[in-house]
Amino acid sequence: MANNHLSLMPVEDLTRDRIQETLDSLENGVDKMRELARVVKEDREAILNSLGSLLNSPILKDTKGAEREEIELRLDHLVKRCLGVEIEVQIIRNQSQQLAMERVTEILESLVDSAHSDLRRTKTVAQRYLNSCLTEPKGPTDEGFQATLLECAADDQKEIRKKLQILLDKMEAMSGILSSFDPKLA
């Protein structure tokens, strides 16, 4: 959006007929700005994950002396620069949306906690929750979760869906690791 500045006529030149058109244009600009901020935030997380992977990579561990020190200094510098970029997109919620979001957060925290004791069951529940987020579910849903989800703000619903997908992906990866040790654990 930095290159697509909104060109609006001066307020004193507005007519009543043009106010709605101007508001629509401004709303479009706000939507684009919020989406761009979300993309930048996701890019920041992806870069930090990549830097962390590099820092913990076997290749770096095998590197010795000055070369390793130079790489670690550069990685540290990049991490600090990346952490210096802070973007926050606040979701505006009314009181009932705030309460619903708090309930969903508690449900998801409980789900993550249960993964430690019963990964298979937790994956099944997480998939039901994710299906509840979809307009065309790919399997069974959880009506209670879906009812609470629908009380959340639309932006929250999108974020919850992303979090559930990430959680399922991580549990799937964990199942693969565990099944290589004991197929009953997956």
Side-chain angles (χ1 to χ4, degrees):
M1 187 161 143
N3 298 327
N4 293 334
H5 291 290
L6 291 173
S7 57
L8 300 172
M9 62 176 56
V11 175
E12 41 293 333
D13 294 341
L14 279 176
T15 62
R16 287 190 174 172
D17 297 335
R18 304 279 322 240
I19 288 177
Q20 289 300 326
E21 184 179 318
T22 301
L23 288 173
D24 290 344
S25 179
L26 289 169
E27 183 173 15
N28 238 354
V30 168
D31 290 343
K32 287 178 184 175
M33 178 180 57
R34 289 176 66 87
E35 184 56 35
L36 182 60
R38 277 190 205 95
V39 168
V40 170
K41 196 173 178 182
E42 289 171 3
D43 286 351
R44 176 184 182 262
E45 291 305 312
I47 290 169
L48 285 170
N49 285 335
S50 294
L51 290 168
S53 294
L54 285 172
L55 188 60
N56 295 313
S57 72
I59 294 171
L60 183 62
K61 291 183 188 331
D62 292 341
T63 307
K64 304 289 181 217
E67 183 182 10
R68 179 178 176 147
E69 187 175 324
E70 181 182 329
I71 291 170
E72 286 177 339
L73 285 171
R74 190 163 180 206
L75 282 168
D76 184 59
H77 175 71
L78 290 171
V79 167
K80 287 177 180 172
R81 286 184 62 205
C82 197
L83 289 173
V85 176
E86 291 187 23
I87 303 239
E88 184 178 353
V89 179
Q90 293 183 347
I91 297 174
I92 309 301
R93 302 177 186 101
N94 63 33
Q95 188 175 6
S96 66
Q97 290 170 330
Q98 180 64 38
L99 291 171
M101 187 59 195
E102 289 169 7
R103 284 194 308 270
V104 167
T105 300
E106 289 171 9
I107 291 168
L108 295 181
E109 287 172 355
S110 173
L111 185 67
V112 169
D113 290 343
S114 71
H116 300 292
S117 59
D118 189 350
L119 185 61
R120 186 177 295 143
R121 187 187 84 57
T122 303
K123 278 178 26 184
T124 302
V125 172
Q127 186 62 59
R128 283 177 174 275
Y129 289 170
L130 180 61
N131 288 339
S132 300
C133 297
L134 304 173
T135 51
E136 294 182 28
K138 299 174 184 170
T141 62
D142 183 293
E143 290 179 17
F145 179 80
Q146 188 174 44
T148 304
L149 178 73
L150 291 173
E151 293 176 32
C152 293
D155 286 342
D156 283 330
Q157 292 175 25
K158 291 176 195 171
E159 288 301 313
I160 292 163
R161 186 176 72 225
K162 284 180 190 175
K163 285 179 182 179
L164 282 166
Q165 186 61 63
I166 290 167
L167 179 61
L168 271 167
D169 291 346
K170 287 182 178 181
M171 285 191 289
E172 196 59 45
M174 184 57 71
S175 287
I177 292 168
L178 292 175
S179 67
S180 67
F181 293 108
D182 183 353
K184 291 180 246 169
L185 292 174

